[in-house]
Amino acid sequence: TQRPAVDIVVQLGDLVDGGNVWKGTSKGAMERVMAEFRSGPWGEENVHHVVGNNDVKNFPRHDLARWISRAGSSKLEQDIGPYLHYYCFAPCKGWRFVI
């Protein structure tokens, strides 16, 4: 098995441009972007998204939670609600990210 060149992806917000709101193309733009993240060699569970200002211009927060929900987060979402945008993870020893 070949090891992927990328072990983790942290997307720093603004998945789609704010101009999509005015064009009515937000959903299609998000579908294309998310397809790219799903098709990468890193595995969907290794992709972490930060919500940017253009993301909240394009979608209500509850829709964003569905687009960028973490793998395995459904139980946690049931416990704390559907607005799970903040969490932390440690990809390796000595590193901890708060998203």
Side-chain angles (χ1 to χ4, degrees):
T1 304
Q2 184 178 3
R3 183 174 164 86
V6 177
D7 293 325
I8 191 168
V9 174
V10 179
Q11 182 280 124
L12 298 176
D14 294 343
L15 280 160
V16 295
D17 186 76
N20 285 294
V21 172
W22 315 117
K23 298 177 199 171
T25 56
S26 298
K27 183 178 179 189
M30 183 66 93
E31 287 171 345
R32 287 189 301 279
V33 169
M34 294 307 287
E36 290 297 321
F37 280 109
R38 283 192 301 274
S39 68
W42 41 76
E44 195 170 358
E45 70 280 0
N46 293 319
V47 177
H48 301 268
H49 297 283
V50 175
V51 176
N53 66 318
N54 283 317
D55 300 324
V56 295
K57 284 181 188 176
N58 280 280
F59 300 99
R61 289 186 184 270
H62 63 277
D63 288 344
L64 275 175
R66 279 181 279 208
W67 281 109
I68 64 171
S69 66
R70 297 288 312 131
S73 67
S74 60
K75 170 72 170 93
L76 184 58
E77 286 185 35
Q78 289 172 6
D79 292 344
I80 68 171
Y83 305 108
L84 178 65
H85 295 293
Y86 306 102
Y87 61 94
C88 66
F89 67 97
C92 60
K93 185 177 179 180
W95 286 86
R96 178 168 303 279
F97 289 84
V98 178
I99 304 286

